[in-house]
Amino acid sequence: MPVGELTSTLANAPGYEIDPSRVPAVTPAEISTEVPLKSSDLGNSAELPTEATSLEIKSCSSSATFTMPAADVSLVTSSVLPGLGSSSINALSANTEEPSELSESNTPSAVGMNGDDESGSHKDNFEGRGCERAALNDFKANVIIEAEPKASESNQEKDLVVEESDLRDSIETEAWRGEQRHVFVLSSSGKPVYSRHGSEDKLVTLFGVMQALVSIVEDSDDKIESIHFGKNVIVFQVRGPIILVAVSKKNDSVLFCNNQLTYVYNQIVSVLTLKTVTSIFERRQNYDLRRLLAGSERLIDHLLQFYETEPSIFMNGISYIPMPSAHRESVSSAIVSACSKIKNLVYAVLVANNKLISLARKRGYSMSPSDLHLILNMVAASESLKTAESWTPICLPNFNIDGFLYAHVSYMADDCPACLLLLTVDQEQFFQLSEAKMKITEKLVKNKSMTFINEVLKAPPSLWMSLHALGLSKIRHFIYKCRKTSIVVSSPLSPPYSTTEEANALFTKYQTLYSSMIHSNPQIHTLFQTSAEESVVCLLTEKYEILVAVEPMVKKQLALDMITKLCQWVQSEEDRFFLSSVPYL
Amino acid sequence: MANRSGPQRPNGTAQAKICQFKLVLLGESAVGKSSLVLRFVKGQFHEFQESTIGAAFLTQTVCVDDTTVKFEIWDTAGQERYHSLAPMYYRGAQAAIVVYDVTNQDTFGRAKTWVKELQRQASPNIVIALAGNKADLANKRSVELEEAQAYAEENQLLFMETSAKTAKNVNEVFLAIAKKLPKNDQNVNPSVPVNITAWLTICVLRAGHF
Ligand SMILES: Nc1nc2c(ncn2[C@@H]2O[C@H](COP(=O)(O)OP(=O)(O)OP(=O)(O)O)[C@@H](O)[C@H]2O)c(=O)[nH]1
Ligand SMILES: [Mg+2]
C-alpha cells in the first residue's frame, strides 16, 4: 500500500494497538540491503505488493509507533544528504538562477526517466550511504523507547488521544484520501496549524504522528527530510517552531515539495513576520498559531494551487504582461514621476492577471521572485481588494524577514484588472500614497497608457497567432525562462489544458521531467517524454530553460526544431516580454 | 432596495457647508463591519464577504440638513493579528462604530473592550456608536436588545441593531452619527473645491447609488 494511503492503515488497523512484535522484526541488515533509493519508482507506477510496501503508523492513545517492515520504504535524513536540508531551503527562497547547485545535493542520478525499472542501480547507490542505514537503525530504536515519553511530555496528551470514531469520521472520507497532494503545517509541539484538505481539528492524531516522526529523528541528532514509498513521497521541513509536511502521490520530487513548503512557510512569515512567530513560541510552546493566522488559510490554499500551475511561480521567475517596450516605459515613468519624491517608498508594483506590468524600486533594493509571488498571490486570492483602497502590513521575507512593509493596494479603476501596490516602510503614509495613486491614474489617463493597458488586458496579443504564423501550431503550450533575468514567458493555457485538472496533469509532467533533469549529474540537457496525450520536452541551456508540450506523435527532431524556432522568436521579441531595466523610484 | 432616508438632494441654492469626518469601524472578525460599509457605500451585500486584509479605506457623503458630511471610513480587520494596528486608525477619528454580532455573545464582550479602549485612548470627543449587526438572524439571537441598550446608555453610546443583509438601520447609524458630530468650522473640509456645485454633484451621484 502506498504511503499516501497511510491513513487508511491508521484507520483500519484493528484496535490501534501498538504491535511491538512488528518493530523488532526489521533487522538493520534487511533494511540496508532491501531499501531501494527513493526515486526507484519514478516513472514506474506499477503496483507494489502490499506487504512489501507497508509503512505502518499506528496510533494508540498518547503514543505513536512506527513499524517499518517494508522493503520499499526509504527514509532520508539530513545526515545522509547534508546539502538537502538547509541548502535547498536557501536556494529556493533566493532564486534558482543556478539550479545546478542543487543538483549535486539531491538525487544522485537522473532516475527512472524512461520509466525503466532501475532498482538494481539504486541498490548500489544506497550502498554508498552508510549513514542512512545508521539513521534508520536509530530511527527504529527510538521509536519504541522515545516515542511514548515524548508524546505525553509535551502537553499534547489531549490532542493525541483520539477516539476511534473521530478518525473514522475524518480520515476515512474517500475524498480526503483521494487527494493527490496534501500539505500540513504544525507547531513543533504537534499543534495543528494548517491542512490543505479537511479540517485540522479532525486530523489531530495525524498531526501527532508527524510531530512524533520529526522528534524521533531529532532525538538522534538528525533531521527527517523525506519518506519514500513507491511513487509517493512525504517531505518534512522543520523551520524553528514550525513543521511543514508535504505528502504527494504524484511522483513529485523532493525539491518540488520542499520549494512548495518554503512558499507556505514564507506565506506564514509574510502574514506575521518571523520575529512574531519565534517570540510567540518562545513564550508559549503549545500556542495555537491558527489564532493569529485566521483568515490566511485562503492565502495558503491559493498559493499551493498557484505554485502548481502558475508558470512564473512554478519556474521561480517573473512574468510580464507582453506589451511594446515604449508603452511599458510610459507606464513606468508615470509611476516613477508620481512617486519619486516619496520618502520610505520601497517598491511600486503594477500587476494584472498574475503578471507584472511595471515594477519600480528604490535604489539598492531588488525584488526577489518569491517575494513578488507572495504579492501576486495576495492580489489574486483577495477579491475584497477590488472594493476599496486597502492598507495592509505585509512582510516580504527576502526584503526583511522580521519586519513589515505597508502596502497601499488599489485597482486602477472599477473595470480595470490592473492593481497597483505601493510598498513603504512608513506605516503613517497611507494618505500620501493615496494621493500618489490619484496622480498616477491622472497621468496614465493623460498619456493614454490607461486605454492601452485596458486593451492589452482585455485582448492580450495572441501568442497563438504568432505561433501559427511561425508554423509552430503543433506546440500546445510552453514555458520559457531566461536564466539571467529570471523572466518567464508562457503561452496561455487553452484546450486541452484549460481545466484545472488538465493544467495540473500537464504541470505535473513538466515538473517530473524538470526536476529529474535538475537533479541529474552530469547534467542532462534535453529530455523528451511521449505519451498518448502529448509529448513533453524539457530543454536546459546556458541561456534559458524551456518546457514544451507538443502534439503527440510529433517526432523528436521535429519537436526540437520547433523549439529552436520558438526560442529564437521569444528572444527576438524580448522587448515585449521583458522589462529591460527596472526603473528606480 | 430600500429608499435611502438620509441624504436628501442638496438644495442648490442653500448655503452648503461641507464637513469631513474620519470614522473607524471596530469589532471582532466576521461580525459584519465590511458588510455594513459595503451596504452604506455601495448598496451591496455579499453572502461570502472575505475577511478584510489590514484595513480598507472608503468614503461616502451624506447630507444632513444643510450640511454635506463626507465620511472617510476606515473598515479595520477584526482578526487578532491586526489588533495592534487599531490605534493607527482610531487615532484622530471623530467617530467610531463598534460592531458586534447579535448571535454571538463573545463578540459583544469584545465590543465592550473596544469601547473601553476608545474611551481611554481615542480623542475625548469621539462619537461612538454601538451596532448589533445581523439583526435579521433574530432566531439565533444570543445578545438581548435590552442588555445592549442598557450598556449603551450607561456609556453614552449611540445604539442600533442593524442588518447589512436587509439594510435595516445601516444608513440610519451613519446618519445618527453625522447628526451628532459637531459641524463647526474646524471640520469644514479645508480643501473644499472652489467649484462647490461640482462637489455637490458628486454628493448627488453617490447618493444615487441607493
Ligand atoms: N445574516 C447576516 N449575515 C451577515 C450580516 N452582515 C454580515 N454578514 C455575514 O457575515 C460574514 C462576515 O462579514 P464581514 O463583513 O466580512 O465581517 P467583518 O467584520 O468585516 O470581518 P473581518 O473583516 O474579518 O474583521 C459574511 O459572510 C457576511 O455575509 C448580516 O447583517 N446578516
Ligand atoms: Mg471586514
Side-chain angles (χ1 to χ4, degrees):
Chain A
M1 175 191 326
V3 145
E5 290 179 11
L6 106 199
T7 50
S8 65
T9 316
L10 201 82
N12 298 332
Y16 308 97
E17 308 279 23
I18 306 177
D19 183 357
S21 63
R22 307 203 58 171
V23 181
V26 196
T27 67
E30 269 173 53
I31 290 180
S32 63
T33 52
E34 297 286 330
V35 178
L37 230 205
K38 52 184 178 163
S39 341
S40 61
D41 293 296
L42 201 71
N44 172 14
S45 53
E47 247 122 79
L48 296 149
T50 315
E51 80 279 15
T53 58
S54 63
L55 164 64
E56 290 192 338
I57 299 181
K58 288 186 176 188
S59 170
C60 171
S61 58
S62 61
S63 72
T65 298
F66 312 88
T67 55
M68 299 180 62
D72 280 351
V73 180
S74 82
L75 173 77
V76 180
T77 63
S78 54
S79 62
V80 183
L81 298 173
L84 191 69
S86 47
S87 85
S88 68
I89 289 158
N90 293 339
L92 120 296
S93 59
N95 60 59
T96 47
E97 266 184 57
E98 286 164 347
S100 49
E101 267 183 24
L102 285 173
S103 61
E104 289 148 28
S105 54
N106 285 297
T107 358
S109 66
V111 207
M113 282 166 323
N114 309 317
D116 296 333
D117 187 352
E118 296 183 353
S119 48
S121 62
H122 296 310
K123 240 179 240 167
D124 296 342
N125 280 325
F126 187 70
E127 290 301 323
R129 303 172 155 208
C131 39
E132 176 163 357
R133 245 174 287 149
L136 276 173
N137 293 346
D138 286 352
F139 177 76
K140 282 193 305 103
N142 284 321
V143 165
I144 308 162
I145 305 158
E146 298 287 331
E148 197 150 352
K150 254 262 132 60
S152 47
E153 245 168 38
S154 60
N155 299 335
Q156 291 301 300
E157 215 166 326
K158 245 190 8 222
D159 284 351
L160 286 173
V161 181
V162 161
E163 297 298 318
E164 211 177 304
S165 54
D166 281 357
L167 279 176
R168 292 252 152 81
D169 283 353
S170 56
I171 294 178
E172 247 192 287
T173 67
E174 284 302 317
W176 192 90
R177 286 195 354 222
E179 297 294 349
Q180 298 287 300
R181 286 178 176 136
H182 286 274
V183 170
F184 306 99
V185 182
L186 54 149
S187 70
S188 51
S189 66
K191 268 240 158 65
V193 175
Y194 171 84
S195 168
R196 183 177 194 177
H197 307 290
S199 118
E200 313 87 62
D201 282 326
K202 293 196 166 176
L203 303 169
V204 270
T205 308
L206 197 61
F207 280 104
V209 169
M210 290 186 271
Q211 189 265 339
L213 270 167
V214 168
S215 66
I216 285 162
V217 178
E218 257 168 16
D219 285 347
S220 39
D221 288 325
D222 204 345
K223 208 163 117 192
I224 189 165
E225 295 193 330
S226 54
I227 297 175
H228 300 265
F229 229 84
K231 63 171 184 171
N232 309 291
V233 62
I234 308 179
V235 176
F236 295 82
Q237 243 184 55
V238 181
R239 301 283 200 118
I242 295 181
I243 298 169
L244 303 107
V245 183
V247 178
S248 168
K249 308 184 200 174
K250 286 191 113 169
N251 244 338
D252 290 330
S253 70
V254 171
L255 179 65
F256 179 81
C257 295
N258 257 318
N259 286 356
Q260 188 169 40
L261 292 180
T262 298
Y263 268 107
V264 174
Y265 176 74
N266 283 346
Q267 178 65 69
I268 292 172
V269 167
S270 171
V271 167
L272 298 174
T273 74
L274 181 58
K275 204 164 139 191
T276 304
V277 173
T278 316
S279 70
I280 275 173
F281 283 110
E282 269 166 12
R283 264 179 283 143
R284 271 183 62 197
Q285 230 205 324
N286 67 344
Y287 185 84
D288 185 351
L289 197 62
R290 281 177 300 174
R291 270 180 58 187
L292 278 188
L293 282 176
S296 319
E297 305 85 352
R298 187 183 83 238
L299 297 178
I300 304 177
D301 289 343
H302 193 274
L303 184 65
L304 292 172
Q305 174 62 31
F306 224 33
Y307 175 74
E308 286 159 14
T309 50
E310 176 56 40
S312 62
I313 301 180
F314 185 78
M315 301 287 280
N316 195 29
I318 294 178
S319 284
Y320 281 89
I321 296 277
M323 59 168 73
S325 56
H327 284 289
R328 200 186 309 279
E329 269 156 35
S330 63
V331 174
S332 298
S333 76
I335 295 176
V336 169
S337 72
C339 295
S340 59
K341 295 219 169 59
I342 303 177
K343 236 177 86 197
N344 294 328
L345 184 65
V346 189
Y347 302 112
V349 195
L350 187 62
V351 303
N353 306 339
N354 306 328
K355 296 185 176 68
L356 271 177
I357 295 172
S358 168
L359 166 70
R361 62 193 162 102
K362 196 161 228 54
R363 213 171 274 275
Y365 297 97
S366 58
M367 169 85 79
S368 86
S370 70
D371 281 353
L372 178 68
H373 299 153
L374 292 178
I375 292 176
L376 292 173
N377 184 60
M378 176 181 80
V379 172
S382 311
E383 273 297 301
S384 65
L385 295 173
K386 288 182 179 156
T387 52
E389 277 179 77
S390 295
W391 182 236
T392 182
I394 178 171
C395 165
L396 298 180
N398 293 294
F399 175 78
N400 175 5
I401 199 161
D402 286 323
F404 282 123
L405 283 170
Y406 293 82
H408 178 280
V409 191
S410 61
Y411 279 79
M412 295 310 291
D414 278 351
D415 53 354
C416 177
C419 180
L420 178 75
L421 299 105
L422 303 173
L423 295 121
T424 172
V425 288
D426 180 358
Q427 63 166 311
E428 304 285 341
Q429 228 169 19
F430 176 85
F431 288 101
Q432 200 180 349
L433 297 181
S434 182
E435 209 174 290
K437 146 79 192 289
M438 255 156 36
K439 272 193 213 149
I440 292 171
T441 314
E442 264 167 39
K443 282 177 204 265
L444 290 180
V445 170
K446 212 160 149 197
N447 73 12
K448 302 262 181 342
S449 293
M450 198 69 125
T451 325
F452 189 76
I453 290 173
N454 274 319
E455 272 166 15
V456 164
L457 294 180
K458 248 175 237 142
S462 171
L463 273 170
W464 294 126
M465 300 249 293
S466 313
L467 289 180
H468 219 83
L470 291 168
L472 301 177
S473 47
K474 285 196 163 66
I475 291 182
R476 289 178 174 175
H477 184 259
F478 75 88
I479 309 176
Y480 171 101
K481 178 185 177 183
C482 168
R483 281 188 153 171
K484 186 165 145 245
T485 55
S486 291
I487 285 169
V488 171
V489 178
S490 60
S491 59
L493 283 161
S494 48
Y497 310 118
S498 42
T499 71
T500 311
E501 291 79 49
E502 290 162 347
N504 270 329
L506 176 64
F507 276 70
T508 301
K509 279 190 187 174
Y510 279 161
Q511 183 260 315
T512 318
L513 220 56
Y514 182 74
S515 322
S516 59
M517 289 174 77
I518 292 289
H519 289 174
S520 65
N521 186 19
Q523 182 91 62
I524 295 170
H525 295 292
T526 315
L527 221 51
F528 187 81
Q529 189 190 56
T530 43
S531 68
E533 299 89 41
E534 70 260 304
S535 297
V536 174
V537 193
C538 180
L539 214 72
L540 307 181
T541 75
E542 215 169 288
K543 238 183 124 182
Y544 60 86
E545 301 170 356
I546 189 166
L547 292 160
V548 187
V550 295
E551 285 179 5
M553 314 300 287
V554 170
K555 291 255 160 38
K556 188 172 167 182
Q557 194 50 52
L558 177 59
L560 290 177
D561 290 347
M562 289 194 300
I563 292 170
T564 309
K565 219 165 161 189
L566 173 64
C567 291
Q568 282 165 355
W569 175 75
V570 171
Q571 283 154 17
S572 71
E573 296 277 310
E574 258 183 16
D575 276 4
R576 285 203 307 132
F577 303 123
F578 296 38
L579 180 63
S580 41
S581 70
V582 179
Y584 293 118
L585 284 168
Chain B
M1 189 169 307
N3 247 346
R4 197 157 196 238
S5 53
Q8 285 110 30
R9 196 169 291 267
N11 185 337
T13 55
Q15 263 287 49
K17 198 157 73 169
I18 296 167
C19 295
Q20 189 165 309
F21 296 105
K22 211 174 135 189
L23 180 150
V24 62
L25 281 100
L26 297 165
E28 185 65 83
S29 179
V31 295
K33 297 179 295 298
S34 302
S35 301
L36 286 171
V37 176
L38 202 61
R39 172 61 81 190
F40 175 58
V41 175
K42 307 205 169 170
Q44 300 169 352
F45 176 77
H46 299 310
E47 206 65 57
F48 301 102
Q49 181 67 32
E50 246 170 43
S51 192
T52 304
I53 302 180
F57 181 78
L58 300 95
T59 59
Q60 174 65 302
T61 308
V62 296
C63 302
V64 184
D65 307 325
D66 64 339
T67 313
T68 301
V69 173
K70 185 187 179 196
F71 281 121
E72 294 192 334
I73 304 167
W74 278 113
D75 167 25
T76 65
Q79 308 280 7
E80 187 175 328
R81 65 175 171 281
Y82 297 114
H83 287 181
S84 59
L85 296 176
M88 189 159 88
Y89 303 108
Y90 62 64
R91 211 186 318 120
Q94 287 97 344
I97 305 182
V98 177
V99 187
Y100 68 93
D101 172 351
V102 297
T103 69
N104 182 334
Q105 185 74 39
D106 290 348
T107 66
F108 184 53
R110 182 72 195 126
K112 289 179 179 170
T113 319
W114 278 121
V115 171
K116 255 187 235 138
E117 183 168 338
L118 287 173
Q119 287 169 339
R120 261 204 325 267
Q121 321 248 25
S123 82
N125 309 323
I126 190 167
V127 174
I128 305 175
L130 180 69
N133 191 41
K134 307 199 186 179
D136 55 294
L137 302 174
N139 53 340
K140 291 194 201 150
R141 170 189 292 281
S142 81
V143 181
E144 291 309 321
L145 178 74
E146 295 73 23
E147 184 188 357
Q149 216 153 26
Y151 170 78
E153 251 161 56
E154 231 169 84
N155 289 274
Q156 295 165 326
L157 316 174
L158 290 169
F159 170 68
M160 274 181 214
E161 283 199 344
T162 59
S163 167
K165 189 171 179 174
T166 66
K168 178 187 162 193
N169 278 345
V170 177
N171 294 330
E172 286 76 0
V173 178
F174 286 90
L175 279 168
I177 292 171
K179 286 207 172 106
K180 201 170 166 188
L181 282 164
K183 284 159 220 72
N184 49 28
D185 293 339
Q186 226 189 330
N187 293 313
V188 171
N189 186 353
S191 59
V192 174
V194 189
N195 185 347
I196 293 261
T197 19
W199 180 249
L200 290 177
T201 322
I202 295 171
C203 171
V204 174
L205 284 175
R206 291 216 160 144
H209 276 300
F210 294 84

